[in-house]
């Protein structure tokens, strides 16, 4: 994962003609893992002070930190090295140096409406399977249909790609060329719906007693929601990137 992340980030960074490649590589290596590790460390400090049996030992934390710094981070730098050495991604048409004026955009094609609408479909494609996964995680039930889980994952990827391309097409139709961050946010909002679903699951299915179990549940579900949102947003962004290059390569300019 580290090598793939470094390669993709470096290719896109080079495509944008940016110069601070070292900052991009370091941010790729420590951005998301650093956030997850920080959340886990803070939670583990609370568990250790409370004397909980689920507190992780210092040796385990050291090994996780060792894997991050000595395995994952070097792989990011290796992937970035090959990404920067690869040829720059070319656009099929010429672009103006001065951005065009964007007229008033309809409500369904502009944030936050587009973000909340687009995130419903990716989350809806996995919400039924999500119930069984969370039951296995928090209600100690067995989950053994891994083949069906892979099928649901493929459905999720296809849904994110289609939703992001449709929303991007609607934005381009109203002359809104600012699709970059919107394509990411449209699908990444599925992570917000996942966290809202986790709150419903906590209130209706779980019977946690005390503040500490609730804190553990919310922290872990926050990590899962962030990872889920980043994955969906990445699929949406890459799909829109491919989609825009594909449609503009078919434009005939005399």
């Amino acid at each position: 994962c580290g090598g793939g992340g470094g390669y993709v980030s470096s290719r896109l960074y080079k495509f944008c003609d940016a110069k601070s490649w070292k900052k991009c590589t370091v941010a790729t290596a420590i951005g998301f893992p650093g956030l997850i590790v920080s959340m886990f460390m803070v939670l583990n400090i609370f568990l250790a002070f409370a004397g909980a049996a689920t507190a992780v030992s210092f040796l385990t934390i050291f090994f996780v930190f060792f894997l991050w710094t000595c395995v994952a981070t070097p792989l990011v730098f290796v992937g970035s090295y090959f990404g920067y050495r690869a040829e720059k991604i070319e656009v099929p048409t010429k672009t103006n140096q001065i951005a065009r004026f964007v007229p008033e955009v309809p409500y369904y094609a502009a944030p936050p409406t587009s973000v909340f609408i687009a995130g419903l479909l990716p989350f809806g494609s996995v919400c039924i399977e999500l119930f069984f996964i969370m039951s296995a995680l928090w209600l100690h039930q067995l989950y053994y249909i891994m083949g069906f889980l892979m099928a649901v994952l493929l459905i999720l990827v296809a849904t994110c790609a289609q939703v992001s391309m449709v929303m991007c097409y609607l934005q381009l139709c109203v002359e809104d060329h600012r699709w970059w961050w919107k394509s990411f946010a449209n699908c990444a909002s599925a992570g917000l719906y996942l966290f809202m679903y986790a709150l419903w699951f906590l209130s209706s299915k779980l019977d946690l007693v005390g503040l500490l179990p609730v804190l553990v549940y919310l922290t872990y579900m926050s990590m899962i929601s962030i990872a889920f949102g980043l994955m969906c947003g990445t699929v949406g962004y890459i799909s829109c990137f491919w989609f825009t290059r594909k449609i503009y390569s078919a434009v005939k300019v005399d």
Side-chain angles (χ1 to χ4, degrees):
C1 294
Y7 181 81
V8 173
S9 65
S10 60
R11 290 296 304 274
L12 293 175
Y13 199 73
K14 185 177 181 179
F15 170 76
C16 296
D17 293 326
K19 304 301 180 183
S20 302
W21 61 271
K22 294 181 181 179
K23 294 181 180 179
C24 175
T25 305
V26 172
T28 304
I30 69 175
F32 174 68
L35 175 63
I36 297 300
V37 169
S38 300
M39 295 175 65
F40 178 78
M41 289 293 293
V42 172
L43 176 63
N44 194 67
I45 291 174
F46 280 101
L47 293 176
F49 277 115
T54 54
V56 180
S57 65
F58 175 78
L59 185 61
T60 303
I61 295 176
F62 174 77
F63 279 126
V64 172
F65 186 79
F66 176 80
L67 291 174
W68 176 30
T69 56
C70 298
V71 178
T73 300
L75 286 176
V76 172
F77 278 87
V78 171
S80 298
Y81 172 77
F82 287 103
Y84 287 120
R85 286 183 61 88
E87 295 183 0
K88 179 183 176 182
I89 302 175
E90 300 293 337
V91 293
T93 58
K94 294 182 179 180
T95 56
N96 297 327
Q97 296 296 326
I98 302 176
R100 290 185 58 182
F101 171 76
V102 179
E104 185 177 356
V105 180
Y107 72 96
Y108 57 83
T113 305
S114 63
V115 173
F116 288 113
I117 293 177
L120 276 174
L121 292 178
F123 173 75
S125 64
V126 299
C127 64
I128 297 178
E129 193 67 18
L130 184 63
F131 176 80
F132 296 103
I133 295 175
M134 294 186 65
S135 297
L137 286 175
W138 302 107
L139 297 178
H140 308 290
Q141 298 181 5
L142 295 178
Y143 186 87
Y144 48 85
I145 46 177
M146 297 301 174
F148 189 74
L149 179 62
M150 178 59 67
V152 172
L153 177 61
L154 296 177
I155 293 174
L156 172 64
V157 172
T159 304
C160 290
Q162 294 178 9
V163 168
S164 63
M165 287 188 286
V166 169
M167 297 303 296
C168 180
Y169 181 75
L170 292 176
Q171 293 175 14
L172 295 177
C173 286
V174 295
E175 302 181 18
D176 185 3
H177 55 82
R178 302 166 301 181
W179 61 269
W180 297 83
W181 282 106
K182 292 180 180 180
S183 63
F184 177 84
N186 285 339
C187 291
S189 61
L192 177 62
Y193 286 107
L194 174 58
F195 187 74
M196 294 171 60
Y197 182 86
L199 295 178
W200 171 82
F201 194 87
L202 172 64
S203 61
S204 61
K205 300 298 180 180
L206 299 180
D207 189 18
L208 301 180
V209 179
L211 178 62
L212 195 59
V214 175
L215 182 63
V216 171
Y217 173 82
L218 293 179
T219 303
Y220 281 123
M221 290 310 303
S222 297
M223 296 179 185
I224 296 174
S225 299
I226 292 172
F228 182 77
L230 287 176
M231 185 199 73
C232 294
T234 302
V235 173
Y237 173 80
I238 294 177
S239 301
C240 281
F241 187 75
W242 174 85
F243 175 70
T244 52
R245 293 185 72 246
K246 197 70 174 179
I247 61 175
Y248 279 103
S249 62
V251 175
K252 304 298 182 181
V253 180
D254 296 331

